[in-house]
């Protein structure tokens, strides 16, 4: 056995823990171990081993201390966990109703503990544009070969993030969406990553690949959830390649269980005239770190990143965004809002690069935090590095409490102080939620956040 | 219906109201005039329950109840309405949603049934006519991006929806041109009712050409120094406030 026994306390033991995982993982791959994909994995494992997990001395992790989480002995999951179902009816249907957003049309891929659950999923019959990544990898020839060329192309540029390297080392399962040229759909592709109850702490490394062909458009949902009473670790990576003139809206929401550790890294590469919008709503887990890196590689590309986080108790949610204006005439818009209660902590770090040739760049970044208690804190840091001279870049950050003038105005019209505060807090959040175009999802999130904000917190409402 | 006795109030240690006495009867319109800094707006805000002002002495009864211990929302539910001098913008909350929440909390307090969405919309449409409000403003966030005139009109529209028994208009005429002033005043006049009293706080006499008061009071340095009929307003227009200010000093 290569497995490290006990708790991985030191950095070396932590690395060794996952190297042990990798060896068991490799054994189960059979013939795949000699493929190009596996070379990618091995290189990533080496990179991870060299980097180790970050400490707070690392500038990128200064405000986010992951040490207590990376020393938990998360086990890999070779088989998905059991499903808890109450009452009668078809177990699969019942289970799905308990964990998934209802009323969404379109295709659905459900993953339990990182494993694809075909009976809970709804895939196109011809299997053309929405598949599992494992399916694409195991049949990687012909047109799939072209598709495989995209794998890692965005994420591999990130040489610093050990979580991305770790994900790539275990890259195997997740969704693969490949939109043909001019393909268009208003119906979403819904990706649900759910962790189940298990006796031991466990981990998964979901990996998604989204390639939008020229002129194509589709909405995509990524959801992460899990049980409330046990520690587990989700480490996801999604790569988006938006072809010329394509439009992608990705709505992501994270409501992992209250002891979960969640890291997600999204790498976006945009060609000319493409428009990518990411709406991120994050309110679960004990500790979450969301990284988004967008490279505007073609002219007239537009990137919009909106985010809303809600934290309470001792939760910690960190959003790190990087927008790289590499070509002229591109636009980026960022609006990140945070509502913090209890002694929770938030981090927003927004980096914008404007390269020397990226004239006529229009970049706007806004970060607003609402502190509902004296003990909640947020660290916000805009970082603009501008090397072109004819650009418009603005950034603004506000941190504050509810406005007493507004509260008095509402009370003078008969609303009680609690109702006035709830109304104003909901209004603060709705600014971001209203940007989600998919109505069933928007309404689902509005209802959940309304409950979270007004009636006390209900983390892991699936339980 | 409103009795104010020897009201003293201060903000950040500065005494602004220094013994105000005021009696407003049911269905009456009272104007409170005075120079800048005399305490007019403070009086309006204290009556609405603004916590930033500390009441240091005096008592206020309203419909036979002690007003001063009541929270702002209780006063509102009991029928007091303050039209703000500077209406507050509330981004993210639509005018309609806000008014429905307000009206239903008042109705609930009175033991009346809450409005459903359809009935409420019908009510809004009817009341909008009183102040000639653009229907598009209903779905916009409260006061956000409204012009000065629209904000003031929106205050009177809220009054029309909430139907208070005591309305306090705090410098509702400030910043309005003559056309907007007339629309606002017409709205108030249409809401005149034997059961509804109105206190009009204003610096200038011109609003009183449109909203004709029963009684005019002059507030100088935190006290009402003179009360009279409508003609007092005209006298003030002619002579200014200085002659009364001196009187106040002499009377001290």
């Amino acid at each position: 056995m290569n497995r490290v026994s006990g708790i991985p306390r030191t950095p070396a033991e932590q690395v060794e823990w996952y190297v042990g995982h990798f060896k068991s993982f490799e054994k189960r791959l059979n013939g795949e171990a000699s493929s190009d994909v596996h070379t990618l994995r091995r290189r990533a494992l080496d990179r991870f081993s060299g980097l180790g997990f970050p400490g707070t001395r690392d500038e990128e992790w200064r405000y986010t201390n992951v040490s207590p989480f990376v020393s938990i002995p998360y086990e890999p999951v070779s088989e998905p966990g059991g499903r808890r179902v109450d009452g009668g009816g078809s177990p699969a249907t019942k289970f799905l109703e308990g964990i998934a957003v209802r009323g969404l049309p379109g295709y659905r891929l459900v993953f339990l503990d990182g494993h694809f659950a075909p009976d809970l999923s709804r895939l196109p019959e011809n299997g053309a544009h929405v598949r599992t990544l494992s399916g694409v990898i195991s049949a990687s020839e012909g047109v799939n070969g072209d598709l495989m060329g995209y794998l890692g192309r965005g994420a591999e540029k990130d040489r610093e993030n050990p979580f991305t390297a770790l994900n790539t080392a275990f890259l195997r399962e997740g969704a693969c969406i490949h939109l043909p040229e001019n393909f268009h759909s208003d119906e979403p592709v819904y990706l649900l990553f759910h962790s189940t109850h298990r006796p031991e702490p466990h981990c998964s490394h979901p990996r998604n690949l989204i390639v939008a062909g020229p002129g194509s458009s589709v909405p995509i949902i990524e959801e992460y959830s899990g049980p409330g009473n046990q520690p587990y670790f989700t480490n996801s990576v999604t790569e988006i390649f938006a072809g010329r003139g394509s439009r992608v809206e990705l709505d992501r929401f994270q409501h992992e269980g209250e002891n979960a550790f969640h890291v997600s890294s999204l790498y976006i590469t945009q060609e000319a005239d493409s428009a990518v919008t990411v709406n991120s709503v994050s309110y679960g887990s004990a500790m979450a770190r969301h990284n988004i890196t967008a490279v505007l590689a073609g002219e007239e590309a537009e990137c919009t990143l909106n985010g809303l986080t809600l934290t309470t108790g001792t939760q910690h949610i960190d959003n790190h965004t990087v927008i790289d204006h590499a070509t002229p005439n591109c636009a980026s818009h960022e609006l990140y809002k945070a509502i913090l209660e209890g002694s929770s902590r938030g981090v927003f770090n927004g980096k914008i690069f404007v390269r020397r040739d990226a004239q006529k760049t229009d970049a706007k970044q806004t970060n607003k935090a609402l502190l509902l208690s004296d003990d909640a804190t947020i660290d916000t840091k805009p970082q603009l590095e501008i090397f072109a001279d004819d650009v418009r870049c603005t950034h603004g950050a506000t941190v504050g409490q509810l406005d007493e003038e507004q509260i008095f105005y509402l009370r003078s019209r008969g609303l009680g102080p609690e109702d006035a505060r709830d109304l104003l807090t909901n209004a603060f959040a709705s600014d971001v939620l209203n940007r989600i175009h998919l109505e069933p999802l928007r309404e689902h999130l509005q209802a959940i956040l309304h409950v979270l904000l007004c009636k006390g917190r209900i983390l892991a409402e699936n339980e | 219906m409103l009795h104010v006795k020897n009201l003293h109030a201060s903000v950040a240690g500065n005494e602004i109201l220094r013994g105000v006495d005021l009696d407003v009867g049911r269905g009456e319109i009272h104007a409170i005039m005075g120079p800048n800094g005399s305490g007019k707006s403070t009086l309006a805000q204290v009556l609405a329950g603004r916590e930033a002002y500390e009441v240091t002495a005096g008592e206020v009864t309203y419909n036979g109840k002690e007003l001063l211990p009541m929270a702002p929302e209780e006063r509102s539910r009991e029928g007091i309405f303050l039209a703000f001098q500077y209406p507050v913008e509330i981004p993210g909350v639509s005018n309609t949603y806000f008014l429905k929440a307000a009206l239903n909390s008042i109705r609930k307090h009175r033991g009346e049934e809450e409005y459903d969405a359809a009935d409420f919309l019908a009510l809004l449409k009817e009341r909008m006519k009183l102040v000639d409000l653009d229907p598009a403003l209903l779905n916009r966030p409260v006061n956000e991006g409204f012009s000065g005139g629209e904000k003031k009109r929106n205050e009177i529209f809220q009054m029309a929806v909430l139907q208070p028994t005591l309305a306090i208009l705090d410098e509702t005429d400030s910043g309005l041109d003559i056309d907007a002033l007339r629309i606002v005043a017409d709205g108030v006049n249409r809401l005149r009712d034997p059961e509804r009293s109105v206190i009009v706080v204003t610096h200038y006499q011109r609003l009183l050409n449109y909203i004709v008061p029963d009684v005019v009071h002059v507030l100088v340095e935190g006290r009402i120094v003179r009360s009279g009929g409508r003609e007092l307003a005209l006298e003030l227009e002619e002579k200014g406030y200085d002659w009364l200010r001196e009187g106040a000093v002499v009377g001290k």
Side-chain angles (χ1 to χ4, degrees), chain A residues 208-225:
Chain A
N208 303 306
L209 176 62
I210 298 162
V211 180
S216 65
S217 77
V218 74
I220 299 165
I221 300 168
E222 258 183 59
E223 177 179 1
Y224 295 89
S225 64

Side-chain angles (χ1 to χ4, degrees), chain B residues 52-94:
Chain B
Y53 296 98
E54 194 194 349
V55 175
T56 49
E59 62 180 60
V60 179
T61 58
Y62 165 72
N63 277 340
K65 291 179 186 166
E66 284 282 344
L67 185 72
L68 295 174
M70 290 186 200
E73 63 274 14
E74 289 176 73
R75 301 179 193 206
S76 169
R77 292 167 193 170
E78 291 285 340
I80 290 181
F81 179 89
L82 172 66
F84 281 56
Q85 183 180 3
Y86 303 108
V88 180
E89 298 190 4
I90 318 237
V93 179
S94 81

